[in-house]
């Protein structure tokens, strides 16, 4: 028999194919360990990647970095609601704390219906200067009017004793609260020939910033308190604004109550206790005939005022001054 001869190139291809088929059959029959089969791939394939482990669409899956606690995380937004007041916002303010200034509140003004008239807001106090403040003695000439503010106080009796020694008359501008507390001193002032002046209920400063109704109460109530302390309905001719803070407004209030506004021409600032000699020198250098001197018998320690008065009274007499009341 003559064998047909297969060309060498084809023989090589056939041998390679046979070897490949034989290997595949062996693997299917036995299953090689360590080499995943198609079933094994399906069993061990990871679950469908989640959004946290999947990169951009169509890209290779990647493992997202786990955020450090407190970083890179967001708290879900709660539904809108009115916040609960905190302890700091609900605690009452100290009655002694100074209020913190705040920006003025702007209030929207509702539109008025057609034909209606808008309500007139309260008018602020007028700060126009007063024009009728008295600053002279009643008699003029070489006279002086001594006035004492903020009493009656612990020093009032000493002041009255000194005035009596020199036959001097004076005007006492009294705080309503103090007059109510020391009625005996008020009565002694009148009994010894001196006069009374209204110096408000409790010395508010600055006076002109107070609402009109409060200014009325300060002046009118003090007048009643002084009259009640003195008894016998004494005439109170003057009133004096705390710190000399006179305005056309409070001048009119005093006038409506039958009182005139009393100022001064010499202020040695004895209330600040600058020293006895400073008080004496100030009066001696600034006093002119017909002048009104301002000093204090209440409102604090007035020992310097009393000591200065011991020097000023004999000096005034030596200078030929007569003691007078303010003009009225």
């Amino acid at each position: 028999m003559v064998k047909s001869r297969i060309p060498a190139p084809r023989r090589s291809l056939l041998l390679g194919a046979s070897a490949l088929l034989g290997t595949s059959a062996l693997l299917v029959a036995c299953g090689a360990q360590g080499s995943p089969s198609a079933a094994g791939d399906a069993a061990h394939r990871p679950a469908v990647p989640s959004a946290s482990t999947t990169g951009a669409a169509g890209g290779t899956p990647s493992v997202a970095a786990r955020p450090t606690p407190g970083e890179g995380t967001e708290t879900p937004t709660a539904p809108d609601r009115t916040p609960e007041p905190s302890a700091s916002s609900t605690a009452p303010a100290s009655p002694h704390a100074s209020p913190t200034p705040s920006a003025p509140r702007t209030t929207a003004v509702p539109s008025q219906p057609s034909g209606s008239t808008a309500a007139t807001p309260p008018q602020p106090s007028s700060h126009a200067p007063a024009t009728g403040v008295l600053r002279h003695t009643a008699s003029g000439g070489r006279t002086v009017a001594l006035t004492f503010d903020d009493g009656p106080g612990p020093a009032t009796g000493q002041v009255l004793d000194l005035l009596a020694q020199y036959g001097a008359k004076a005007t006492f501008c009294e705080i309503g609260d103090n007059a109510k507390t020391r009625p005996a001193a008020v009565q002694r002032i009148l009994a010894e020939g001196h006069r009374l002046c209204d110096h408000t209920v409790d010395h508010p400063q600055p006076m002109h910033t107070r609402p009109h109704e409060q200014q009325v109460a300060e002046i009118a109530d003090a007048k009643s308190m002084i009259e009640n302390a003195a008894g016998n309905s004494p005439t109170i001719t003057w009133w004096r604004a705390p710190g000399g803070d006179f305005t056309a407004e409070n001048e009119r209030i005093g006038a409506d109550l039958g009182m005139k506004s009393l100022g001064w021409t010499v202020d040695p600032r004895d209330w600040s206790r600058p020293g006895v000699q400073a008080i004496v020198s100030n009066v001696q250098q600034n006093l002119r005939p017909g002048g009104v001197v301002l000093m204090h018998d209440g409102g604090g320690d007035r020992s310097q005022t009393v000591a200065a008065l011991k020097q000023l009274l004999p000096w005034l007499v030596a200078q030929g001054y007569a003691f007078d009341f303010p003009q009225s």
Side-chain angles (χ1 to χ4, degrees), residues 217-300:
E218 284 285 342
I219 300 170
D221 291 354
K223 184 174 185 287
S224 296
M225 295 166 80
I226 296 168
E227 290 172 342
N228 291 337
N232 299 322
S233 300
T235 300
I236 300 179
T237 307
W238 309 275
W239 87 281
R240 175 174 278 168
D245 189 12
F246 291 104
T247 63
E249 179 182 23
N250 58 43
E251 181 181 36
R252 171 50 54 191
I253 295 170
D256 289 344
L257 293 166
M259 298 181 294
K260 299 192 178 171
S261 301
L262 177 58
W264 60 82
T265 59
V266 181
D267 178 11
R269 297 178 63 82
D270 62 317
W271 59 269
S272 66
R273 299 193 292 276
V276 174
Q277 198 53 47
I279 298 170
V280 171
S281 298
N282 191 307
V283 175
Q284 291 177 341
Q285 293 172 14
N286 294 293
L287 179 63
R288 301 292 181 269
V292 179
V293 179
L294 167 64
M295 289 188 285
H296 296 75
D297 65 317

Side-chain angles (χ1 to χ4, degrees), residues 151-213:
T156 302
Q158 299 175 67
V159 170
L160 290 170
D161 291 343
L162 288 170
L163 293 174
Q165 290 181 28
Y166 293 90
K169 303 303 177 185
T171 301
F172 289 80
C173 298
E174 302 194 319
I175 299 294
D177 285 339
N178 291 346
K180 181 179 180 180
T181 303
R182 298 175 181 270
V186 180
Q187 294 164 17
R188 181 184 171 187
I189 287 170
L190 287 175
E192 296 184 5
H194 307 291
R195 299 202 183 162
L196 299 173
C197 168
D198 179 331
H199 198 34
T200 73
V201 172
D202 55 11
H203 209 278
Q205 286 185 272
M207 181 88 170
H208 76 269
T209 63
R210 302 306 199 267
H212 178 81
E213 294 75 12

